[in-house]
Amino acid sequence: MASTAQNTLEPLRAPVDNKAKDEDMEEELEYSPFYGIEKGAVLQEARVFNDSHVDPRRCQQVITKLLYLLTQGESFTKSEASDVFFSVTKLFQHKDVHLRRMVYLIIKEIIPSSDEVIIITSSLMKDMNSTNDLYRANAIRVLCRIIDNQMLLQIERYLKQAVVDKSAVVSGAVLAGAIHLAGASAEVIKRWSNEVQEAIQSRHPMVQFQAVALMHALRANDRLAVSKLVTQLTRSGVRSPMAQCLLVRYVAQVIAESQPGQGSEQRPFYDFLESCLRHKSEVVIFEAARAICNMRDVTTRELTPAVTVLQLFLSSSKPVLRFAAVRTLNKVAMSHPMAVTNCNIDMESLIADPNRSIATLAITTLLKTGNESSIDRLLKQIGGFMSEIADEFKVVVVEAIKALCLKFPQKYRGLMNFLSNVLREDGGFEYKKAIVDAILALLQEIPEAKEMGLAQLCEFIEDCEFTFLSVQILHLLGEEGPKTKDPARYIRYIYNRVVLENATVRAAALSSLARFGAHCPELRDRVILLIKRALFDNDDEVRDRATLYLYQLTRAPEGPESLDPHWRIPAKGLEAALAAYLEQPDPEQPFDLASVPEAVAASPAKPKAKPQGLAAAVAAGLSAAAAPETHADEYADMLKAVPQLAALGPVFKTCKPLQLTEEETEYKVACVRHVLESHLVLQFNCTNTVREQVLEEVSVTVDLADAEGFTEEAVLPLKEMPHDGVGQTYVVLAREPGSMALGRFLNILRFRVKEIDPSTGEAEEEGYEDEYQLEDVEVAAANYIKPSFTPNFRTAWDALPEDSEMVDDYGIGQRDSLQDAVEAVGRILGMQACEGTDAVPPNARSHTLLLSGTVVGDVQALVRLAFGIDAQRNVAMKLAVRSESVEVSEAIHAIIQEA
């Protein structure tokens, strides 16, 4: 079945590119037995099960194909599964031993429905009492997979006796089946405790292993019971290496759930783990060493014996031991690099290991544990090593070199030269992108390396074959090049891209050149001359950019503002002004941008007939959903247009509008919450629907009695609430910078009412004060989180500190499907789904959702949600959160708890 791991449409062995041997290779070419397999054809072949004279070999081949389809994720409809099941049951009449074993396998994989199980039960019961141990074992395995609680009670006596059967095959089959049944029928299986205890003392390794696993499965939900089981097994001892490995894992679980020892006090069961380091089985030794290395808050004294054992494995003749040891040491080096330094000599010898995975892990571990004096020697060894490994391993090495450079910034010259050299070598896009990203990160963190890195990137784009990387580097040159001591040196490299590259790169190069002209007055004339040469380019985008930049550099105000002017005109205001301009019958004057007000003006709506019936219902639904149509950038423009709000800084997140009034009331108010670094701005969008009144001096009074983390800083009233238009009044609340202050606000709309005289159409002069009670506004922790894109979730997860991780289980209740539960939790947290995990496969019983977000204060937070659904559609969820702050992890759990 090893061939099933490959593409079924390709041969097992591709032909060698040697024309002289083509004919010989055609004869020797091996094809997968599942090449071109299709479900429909296999189901047609399954009719051979109904033949009067059954061919055992032919039936085995068809069953093998069916099993292959099932294991590859192919789903059978209920009718297809039923047809196959009924056909297979007829094969019980045949006496061929090999065919009978295949029949057991296919029945176990199809899992017939409850009304079909009864058909096969009698045959399986007969085999369970057979004298043939293989028949008995296989029949028990199938029964444990397909029976329900009621049928389990009927055959419990047979299964209970089989636990202590003299045949290890039969006993192991019952124990394996009981592990599967323990989830739904735990009370029945618990009655077998005496027999399972006897099986734990069995001399057969597999029986003892499965008995230990079953005992733990029955007590997994009870910490005290698990602790007692571990204590009992560590004292009595188990002979099976596999059972001993299980026991080591259970001990590690108990240690993780217990408090570390105070002062010099040892952890519980640490002596047992240390004794396992002297076990005669290598797998037990490694399991114990890994358990010690993974302990929470492990000390160097506790690590020493485990690292010593792993150091011995580094010189083993078995590749699997060397790989396991260096992989574990690589993980230890992330948190305790000094504990691994004694192994550096042994790991240096692994750089030349024929297994490239081992060599890569050895290199990255050495880079993490090395000191300044060893960096140059390591780079020489890696130089010859990089050309021999695949790109995915090269990416790992590049990431390690980047981390080392950030650790020892004074060594940036040697490390940057190394990255520059490997950047010129052959490699795929992901490898080149990793190197470029590493150089960009170093330029940002190490100011001294900026000019050196820019020069290396300029050399790279001369021969770069990847458009994406060329555009990225050209953008960086445009941002950072003008700030260097000699910006003129980069002009040649950038202009070469205008002459020699494709249209996308040419356009990016023009943008970069224009930035040099805008920021460097001494280079402006030279840049204008070069941009003029692109006016006759054969690509529209390039010509348009050249025309725009020439205008900006020659006619607009000089300086950076000429290229990046501050756009103070709100998009809605510009749209309204353009619409009014186009409505003129014959506009003679050109449109004047200066005529557009910098504040949002409310345009009077055209009078409409009041909708009735179904139209009224549709209009009500549309008006309720109208507020979210305004995009976050438009809201940001509104705030920038108000000087008092523009001074507060950039907006971190704009939340969806909340309707604070009923749809049919005379005053409509919606609240938009803007989260800033140290402020919360409440924007109240107000509309007056009463024609006979003019509302002036409109403001909202916010009661902060239930929001202790906020203080009112300013209130910006609305001069006049427009009729059937939208006006804004603002309340600015201050809070601690970067904090996640929570609370509920009581809101009262205050205004001055002036009645309109119907005879003259003018409002009265004085008017009177009035107020209107609004709905409460709540600020929750989710309002401080915005979605963020994370291309590689696993790498980002591992990069966050483990001590910030918080895990807990939650019950969601009944849901129609897992997709429904995933969407609901995603909406509550308001984070970005990663790697397409927001889509749940059809009929899935479990699913993992990966979410990424940024919390106010630019704190990254990652969420891993494991969902499961049972037969009654009850959904359970395991929530794991990692972030750059423990408080943020707690806040995300609080969001789910409150929801």
Side-chain angles (χ1 to χ4, degrees), residues 740 781 785 797 800-808 810 829 831 855 859-863 879-897:
M740 300 176 67
I785 305 174
W797 179 272
L800 292 174
E802 292 186 10
D803 55 2
S804 71
E805 182 174 345
M806 294 188 65
V807 184
D808 207 346
Y810 300 93
L829 293 177
M831 302 174 77
V855 183
V859 179
Q860 185 183 24
L862 299 178
V863 173
L879 170 64
V881 184
R882 276 194 188 182
S883 69
E884 297 171 355
S885 168
V886 178
E887 291 76 13
V888 169
S889 300
E890 293 174 349
I892 293 176
H893 275 274
I895 295 172
I896 297 298
Q897 291 165 3

Side-chain angles (χ1 to χ4, degrees), residues 497-538:
R497 304 305 101 220
V498 179
V499 177
L500 302 173
E501 290 288 355
N502 57 53
T504 304
V505 178
R506 295 202 302 273
L510 277 179
S511 299
S512 183
L513 275 177
R515 291 185 180 279
F516 277 84
H519 291 78
C520 305
E522 68 277 8
L523 299 177
R524 185 182 296 256
D525 293 338
R526 296 168 58 185
V527 169
I528 290 174
L529 180 63
L530 294 176
I531 293 179
K532 283 182 179 179
R533 298 179 184 179
L535 288 173
F536 304 101
D537 194 275
N538 57 4

Side-chain angles (χ1 to χ4, degrees), residues 327-609:
R327 185 183 182 189
T328 305
L329 290 172
N330 182 279
K331 188 175 181 180
V332 174
M334 296 180 185
S335 54
H336 296 81
M338 297 307 297
V340 188
T341 51
N342 293 334
C343 306
N344 284 0
I345 297 176
D346 298 279
M347 279 190 285
E348 285 187 20
S349 63
L350 294 180
I351 296 177
D353 195 280
N355 187 313
R356 296 290 86 183
S357 299
I358 296 175
T360 305
L361 286 169
I363 282 289
T364 53
T365 308
L366 286 169
L367 290 173
K368 292 171 186 174
T369 60
N371 49 36
E372 288 189 64
S373 59
S374 63
I375 289 178
D376 295 332
R377 186 179 75 255
L378 281 175
L379 291 179
K380 289 181 181 178
Q381 291 177 306
I382 298 173
F385 163 80
M386 292 289 282
S387 60
E388 302 174 5
I389 60 176
D391 279 2
E392 57 265 29
F393 295 135
K394 292 179 181 178
V395 171
V396 177
V397 175
V398 169
E399 292 293 331
I401 290 175
K402 179 181 75 173
L404 185 65
C405 191
L406 295 175
K407 183 179 178 182
F408 301 109
Q410 58 271 26
K411 284 287 187 179
Y412 74 89
R413 292 187 179 277
L415 293 167
M416 292 278 286
N417 284 328
F418 176 82
L419 291 175
S420 175
N421 292 333
V422 296
L423 190 58
R424 298 191 191 98
E425 297 176 359
D426 294 335
F429 171 73
E430 293 297 333
Y431 172 47
K432 298 287 187 180
K433 183 176 182 297
I435 300 174
V436 172
D437 289 345
I439 293 177
L440 295 183
L442 297 179
L443 295 184
Q444 186 176 7
E445 298 295 332
I446 308 174
E448 298 83 2
K450 183 172 293 185
E451 295 203 16
M452 179 181 180
L454 291 177
Q456 292 171 348
L457 292 176
C458 286
E459 295 289 344
F460 170 63
I461 60 174
E462 290 289 313
D463 299 314
C464 180
E465 58 182 314
F466 303 109
T467 299
F468 177 86
L469 297 180
S470 295
V471 171
Q472 186 181 18
I473 294 171
L474 287 169
H475 175 74
L476 176 72
L477 289 173
E479 292 288 335
E480 302 294 339
K483 303 174 186 176
T484 58
K485 296 178 181 178
D486 184 16
R489 62 184 296 197
Y490 305 108
I491 299 293
R492 174 174 64 88
Y493 297 100
I494 298 173
Y495 184 69
N496 284 346
R497 304 305 101 220
V498 179
V499 177
L500 302 173
E501 290 288 355
N502 57 53
T504 304
V505 178
R506 295 202 302 273
L510 277 179
S511 299
S512 183
L513 275 177
R515 291 185 180 279
F516 277 84
H519 291 78
C520 305
E522 68 277 8
L523 299 177
R524 185 182 296 256
D525 293 338
R526 296 168 58 185
V527 169
I528 290 174
L529 180 63
L530 294 176
I531 293 179
K532 283 182 179 179
R533 298 179 184 179
L535 288 173
F536 304 101
D537 194 275
N538 57 4
D539 184 78
D540 295 344
E541 173 71 17
V542 177
R543 292 198 303 272
D544 291 348
R545 289 199 186 193
T547 304
L548 173 65
Y549 295 142
L550 280 176
Y551 171 80
Q552 291 177 326
L553 293 175
T554 56
R555 300 187 182 181
E558 295 186 358
E561 284 287 325
S562 63
L563 202 65
D564 297 315
H566 182 60
W567 187 258
R568 302 183 63 88
I569 300 175
K572 279 203 167 184
L574 177 61
E575 181 185 4
L578 286 171
Y581 174 77
L582 293 175
E583 286 178 359
Q584 297 179 11
D586 187 18
E588 298 179 356
Q589 297 294 329
F591 180 76
D592 186 6
L593 202 61
S595 64
V596 183
E598 293 186 0
V600 178
S603 56
K606 294 182 180 180
K608 298 180 182 178

Side-chain angles (χ1 to χ4, degrees), residues 669-690:
V669 180
C671 178
V672 182
R673 295 153 294 175
H674 303 287
V675 178
L676 289 77
E677 176 66 23
S678 58
H679 293 83
L680 176 71
V681 177
L682 301 179
Q683 173 182 329
F684 296 94
N685 297 328
C686 308
T687 302
N688 175 25
T689 62
V690 182

